Amino acid sequence: MSEISTSYPGIERVVFTGDAIAARVRELGRAIDEFYPADEELLVIGLLKGAFMFFSDLVRAVGRPSLKIDFLTAALYGDGTDASREVQLIQDTESPIAGRHVLLVEDIIDTGKTLNRICDVISGRAPRSLEVCAFLHKRIAGELRYEPRWVGFDAPHDWLVGYGLDLGGLYRHLPFVAVIDPEAVRGR
Ligand code: IMP
Ligand code: MG
């Protein structure tokens, strides 16, 4: 399947293979498990849509029995690669946050706007703790008020698709991460 998908229109090169991702996710799951006291419940919140695939693999790699999941949907005004967008919370969690260990799972940190905004909202609800696990980090964010405790990989400064990441809604389903040429899929 991967061999066929790597030749989709606009895909320039694979950056992280499915196997490399799976190995890294196992490490992250172990590290997260060790970080929290074994008898304390963890609420893992996935940021949709981008984190959906990473989130589902990650929670399966966390071994503890006492874990709950929830989701938030954030969106950027506009659909594209423009860094001057505003973050909007379009769907909130069902779970109460106060007094709980919250782990926010994000797909990728680019400008850091999304993370800053969402973490402000969550920390305003008085969680017992708030940590961030980001699948990818471009390391270009100017002001990051909440440093992720766990990062899957440092990412190149290109536009990336696959494993949840999209360009105009396309290519979230790819089982690997690749660099895309935005020009090649423009207008589709
Ligand atoms: P930030 O708010 O600029 O840090 O951007 C975070 C959001 O922008 C992520 O949650 C993604 O949805 C999206 N994003 C940033 N960089 C990429 C990329 O290279 N590919 C796909 N989506 C990206
Ligand atoms: Mg996105």
Side-chain angles (χ1 to χ4, degrees):
M1 184 171 71
S2 303
E3 284 75 22
I4 298 168
S5 308
T6 55
S7 66
Y8 283 175
I11 299 289
E12 288 187 339
R13 64 191 165 89
V14 174
V15 185
F16 304 111
T17 64
D19 287 345
I21 294 168
R24 184 68 185 123
V25 167
R26 278 194 296 274
E27 292 175 352
L28 291 170
R30 265 197 301 274
I32 289 166
D33 212 14
E34 285 166 10
F35 179 79
Y36 293 97
D39 56 343
E40 289 175 17
E41 186 177 282
L42 180 59
L43 176 63
V44 190
I45 300 178
L47 211 57
L48 296 176
K49 300 175 186 143
F52 86 100
M53 201 175 282
F54 176 53
F55 179 94
S56 66
D57 285 342
L58 186 67
V59 292
R60 279 180 283 185
V62 178
R64 66 187 41 236
S66 191
L67 182 152
K68 291 181 179 172
I69 66 163
D70 210 328
F71 298 97
L72 273 174
T73 307
L76 296 159
Y77 293 112
D79 195 13
T81 59
D82 176 14
S84 66
R85 311 142 301 181
E86 283 307 312
V87 181
Q88 198 184 7
L89 185 62
I90 57 176
Q91 190 180 295
D92 209 339
T93 58
E94 278 179 17
S95 319
I97 301 296
R100 310 183 68 176
H101 288 300
V102 173
L103 173 62
L104 184 70
V105 177
E106 159 78 305
D107 54 354
I108 184 166
I109 302 172
D110 186 357
T111 66
K113 262 187 192 175
T114 305
L115 196 58
N116 283 337
R117 168 96 171 85
I118 299 302
C119 286
D120 280 346
V121 170
I122 294 176
S123 67
R125 297 174 182 171
R128 179 165 175 191
S129 68
L130 172 59
E131 301 293 343
V132 174
C133 179
F135 173 51
L136 300 175
H137 197 335
K138 286 188 178 173
R139 307 279 178 197
I140 54 172
E143 189 211 7
L144 215 49
R145 295 195 293 278
Y146 307 84
E147 275 297 329
R149 186 170 291 276
W150 301 282
V151 172
F153 302 99
D154 286 357
H157 300 169
D158 304 284
W159 198 259
L160 303 171
V161 293
Y163 201 66
L165 298 165
D166 72 306
L167 177 67
L170 280 173
Y171 293 159
R172 290 194 197 275
H173 63 302
L174 302 183
F176 52 83
V177 172
V179 173
I180 190 156
D181 172 13
E183 293 301 324
V185 292
R186 192 142 289 169
R188 277 160 55 96

